[in-house]
Amino acid sequence: MLASSAATEAITVHLETQGDVVVLRHRVREHALELGFSLLDQTKIVTAASELGRNAITYGGGGEAMIESLHDGRRIGIALTVTDHGPGIADVEQAMRPGFTTGSGLGYGLSGTKRLVDEFEIQSQVGVGTTVRIARWR
Amino acid sequence: MLASSAATEAITVHLETQGDVVVLRHRVREHALELGFSLLDQTKIVTAASELGRNAITYGGGGEAMIESLHDGRRIGIALTVTDHGPGIADVEQAMRPGFTTGSGLGYGLSGTKRLVDEFEIQSQVGVGTTVRIARWR
Amino acid sequence: MDRVPINKVGDFLLVSLQGDIHDAVALALQEDLGNRIVSTRARLILLDISALQIVDSFIGRLIGDIAAIARLLDAEVIVAGMQPAVAITLVELGLDLKGIRTALSVESALAMAGIGARI
Amino acid sequence: MDRVPINKVGDFLLVSLQGDIHDAVALALQEDLGNRIVSTRARLILLDISALQIVDSFIGRLIGDIAAIARLLDAEVIVAGMQPAVAITLVELGLDLKGIRTALSVESALAMAGIGARI
Ligand SMILES: Nc1ncnc2c1ncn2[C@@H]1O[C@H](COP(=O)(O)OP(=O)(O)O)[C@@H](O)[C@H]1O
Ligand SMILES: Nc1ncnc2c1ncn2[C@@H]1O[C@H](COP(=O)(O)OP(=O)(O)O)[C@@H](O)[C@H]1O
């Protein structure tokens, strides 16, 4: 489990086409803006969302994303959970390595996303799918 | 065990916040200065201390550092033991590899520290914590 | 399918990346640009990204590929107008567009290329 | 939270790293510097590290990231004033700040950039 606690107000975005990644980016930015994140933080969070959304579509054959607000008493945060029911990742450690790709990407999506956020959790099972949850605190 | 023997005068520094790493650096420098280490040696030892202290806080969730003077009859030295009760390191060999990081660092902390000192010993157990002990002789 | 317009301005090509660039659009842009470099003999391509609010690794790769294609056709790309938050995020992502020239804006790119006067 | 001051001197930015730079300070510096490069159109950033008694891998990464961000915004970083013991330690650590220009002091950095006279 991530350290982050008590979430409220979840928004769900379906991910099927590349256009849905655009919708996801907009929703995430709106949410981050509402929560009072700085422009730089918004940029980081939206970029991370874009990476995960694109992966769910490209590699996971589509899925869905859930955006949540976090409040842990002291801090406000945003969380994003991207789930797909695609082929899963056999070797997660390898997939996380900067520069590793099985597609035509640069292989910086997962490792880079991890660097852009405060919390990063990936769960994947071959034949079942992949879930990545990220959170960033303000 | 490290080759170094008979230690006297141990100083302990608690490591919880990034500010504690600053305290650790100062204590280590004072100690190295007192022991007559050259400016270059001081710089290497303090840099090594900074790497280990920061790791204990970032990855180990805090811990403590013990600074000791060493005398083995022939030589004078300084030793530093940094301990945390964090998650431990599953694959120490991997963690020691230059460029390997699970965080957002450069992955040169452990491998670099080893190069900066004469003795380097790491013990880590998953779920229990990590202890790194280094020593440098004058 | 949308296509990204490529404008000839003076003796360089101006490409302004905006909004949402899908795979197919990215591929078409590479093809169009290659053809235009050859047909116009342009030596300089200004890639204006001031309208991009984020550059993820997909767009980062597109920029790198465009620069590489241009180089093979003896032209150079200057990436102009990257927002500071985008630059910081890109570096944190692990991409730094090494080897690609950058400029704060299209105007300063022109000044840099010494062609401000020629338009 | 402390912020590292960024001073405009002539047409470059002078940043002096001192004492103890925490994560939050490092992040704020990247943000401030990105914004200042764009707002001042400075092409050169002098990063004075003469006051740093050590450069560990955290600070090494900060310096590298600052240089990469600056480059994306069409500016260049010159790292000035590194103490010899720090340089030796940094290389032994495995970091060598490849691709980043260095100067012995702020003055020689200015001379290097050919802007000594313009201040
Ligand atoms: N949702 C997913 N489902 C299956 N495999 C994935 C998923 N996300 C990432 N991967 C795998 O991990 C690799 C690395 O992903 P990433 O770091 O985002 O780089 P890239 O997208 O450039 O390939 C991908 O090439 C792919 O093999
Ligand atoms: N005290 C520690 N507790 C748990 N894991 C650690 C600790 N120190 C280091 N590690 C692991 O080893 C990896 C490599 O550490 P290091 O070489 O210092 O590079 P960096 O700090 O840049 O990641 C870290 O990313 C982390 O996964």
Side-chain angles (χ1 to χ4, degrees):
Chain A
M1 268 299 290
L2 289 182
S4 50
S5 65
T8 54
E9 321 166 45
I11 295 174
T12 297
V13 179
H14 284 275
L15 300 170
E16 259 182 70
T17 66
Q18 292 194 35
D20 294 335
V21 180
V22 178
V23 175
L24 175 64
R25 286 202 292 260
H26 289 169
R27 292 280 166 283
V28 169
R29 185 176 293 275
E30 277 166 17
H31 215 86
L33 190 65
E34 264 171 34
L35 290 172
F37 279 98
S38 71
L39 175 65
L40 177 56
D41 280 346
Q42 288 170 42
T43 307
K44 290 181 178 181
I45 298 160
V46 174
T47 303
S50 187
E51 298 291 349
L52 298 182
R54 199 183 286 277
N55 278 354
I57 289 164
T58 308
Y59 302 111
E64 57 186 31
M66 190 174 62
I67 308 163
E68 293 162 281
S69 308
L70 304 175
H71 308 272
D72 75 350
R74 283 186 310 126
R75 300 173 302 173
I76 285 178
I78 188 169
L80 176 72
T81 309
V82 178
T83 304
D84 66 61
H85 305 287
I89 303 174
D91 185 342
V92 169
E93 200 186 289
Q94 184 183 52
M96 291 295 305
R97 208 175 294 152
F100 177 84
T101 180
T102 59
S104 59
L106 291 172
Y108 283 87
L110 290 176
S111 59
T113 295
K114 184 166 178 201
R115 294 163 61 122
L116 291 175
V117 296
D118 295 317
E119 298 173 21
F120 180 101
E121 193 184 22
I122 179 165
Q123 264 156 6
S124 190
Q125 209 181 324
V126 173
V128 177
T130 301
T131 296
V132 183
R133 184 173 147 94
I134 57 175
R136 189 167 171 109
W137 296 99
R138 220 188 56 196
Chain B
M1 267 300 288
L2 288 183
S4 51
S5 66
T8 54
E9 323 165 42
I11 295 175
T12 297
V13 178
H14 283 274
L15 300 171
E16 257 183 72
T17 66
Q18 292 192 36
D20 296 335
V21 180
V22 178
V23 175
L24 175 63
R25 284 202 293 259
H26 289 170
R27 292 281 166 282
V28 169
R29 185 176 294 274
E30 278 167 14
H31 216 84
L33 191 63
E34 266 172 34
L35 291 172
F37 278 98
S38 70
L39 175 65
L40 177 56
D41 279 348
Q42 288 170 41
T43 306
K44 291 183 178 181
I45 297 161
V46 174
T47 303
S50 186
E51 298 291 348
L52 298 182
R54 198 183 285 277
N55 277 355
I57 289 164
T58 308
Y59 301 111
E64 55 187 33
M66 190 175 62
I67 309 163
E68 293 163 280
S69 308
L70 304 175
H71 310 272
D72 75 349
R74 283 186 309 126
R75 298 175 301 173
I76 284 179
I78 187 169
L80 175 73
T81 309
V82 178
T83 303
D84 66 62
H85 304 285
I89 304 175
D91 185 342
V92 169
E93 198 188 293
Q94 184 182 53
M96 290 295 306
R97 209 177 294 151
F100 177 84
T101 180
T102 60
S104 59
L106 290 173
Y108 284 87
L110 289 176
S111 58
T113 295
K114 185 167 178 197
R115 294 161 60 125
L116 291 175
V117 295
D118 296 316
E119 298 174 22
F120 180 99
E121 192 186 23
I122 180 165
Q123 265 157 6
S124 189
Q125 208 181 325
V126 173
V128 177
T130 301
T131 296
V132 182
R133 183 173 149 94
I134 57 175
R136 189 166 173 111
W137 296 98
R138 217 188 56 193
Chain C
M1 189 188 68
D2 291 347
R3 289 186 106 90
V4 177
I6 300 170
N7 294 303
K8 185 146 195 293
V9 185
D11 46 12
F12 63 93
L13 299 176
L14 179 62
V15 182
S16 167
L17 293 186
Q18 284 169 28
D20 301 304
I21 296 150
H22 301 191
D23 282 357
V25 178
L27 287 177
L29 172 59
Q30 294 179 22
E31 188 177 348
D32 291 350
L33 191 61
N35 291 333
R36 286 297 292 277
I37 291 171
V38 171
S39 67
T40 63
R41 302 176 162 268
R43 302 288 306 277
L44 186 70
I45 295 100
L46 289 188
L47 198 58
D48 178 6
I49 63 165
S50 58
L52 294 186
Q53 292 190 304
I54 69 152
V55 171
D56 60 9
S57 65
F58 176 78
I59 299 294
R61 178 181 162 223
L62 174 62
I63 294 172
D65 285 355
I66 286 176
I69 292 166
R71 207 171 298 128
L72 289 174
L73 300 171
D74 194 26
E76 194 184 15
V77 166
I78 299 182
V79 173
M82 185 182 295
Q83 295 179 11
V86 170
I88 294 167
T89 301
L90 208 53
V91 169
E92 203 150 315
L93 207 52
L95 309 178
D96 54 8
L97 303 188
K98 214 166 266 166
I100 300 177
R101 284 173 79 188
T102 52
L104 275 190
S105 63
V106 168
E107 297 91 72
S108 54
L110 293 181
M112 184 194 285
I115 55 173
R118 274 194 275 150
I119 310 173
Chain D
M1 187 189 68
D2 292 346
R3 288 184 106 92
V4 177
I6 300 170
N7 293 303
K8 185 148 195 292
V9 184
D11 46 12
F12 62 92
L13 299 175
L14 179 61
V15 182
S16 166
L17 292 186
Q18 284 167 27
D20 300 305
I21 296 151
H22 301 191
D23 282 357
V25 176
L27 287 176
L29 174 59
Q30 293 180 19
E31 188 174 355
D32 291 347
L33 193 60
N35 290 332
R36 286 298 292 277
I37 291 171
V38 171
S39 68
T40 63
R41 304 181 159 263
R43 301 288 307 276
L44 185 70
I45 296 101
L46 289 188
L47 199 58
D48 178 6
I49 63 165
S50 57
L52 294 186
Q53 292 190 306
I54 68 151
V55 171
D56 61 9
S57 65
F58 176 78
I59 299 294
R61 175 179 167 224
L62 175 63
I63 294 172
D65 283 358
I66 285 176
I69 291 164
R71 223 178 38 74
L72 289 173
L73 301 172
D74 191 28
E76 193 184 14
V77 167
I78 300 183
V79 173
M82 187 183 294
Q83 295 179 9
V86 169
I88 295 167
T89 302
L90 208 54
V91 169
E92 203 150 313
L93 206 53
L95 310 177
D96 55 6
L97 304 187
K98 213 167 271 165
I100 300 178
R101 283 173 80 188
T102 52
L104 278 188
S105 65
V106 168
E107 296 91 72
S108 55
L110 293 181
M112 185 194 285
I115 57 174
R118 273 193 278 150
I119 307 172

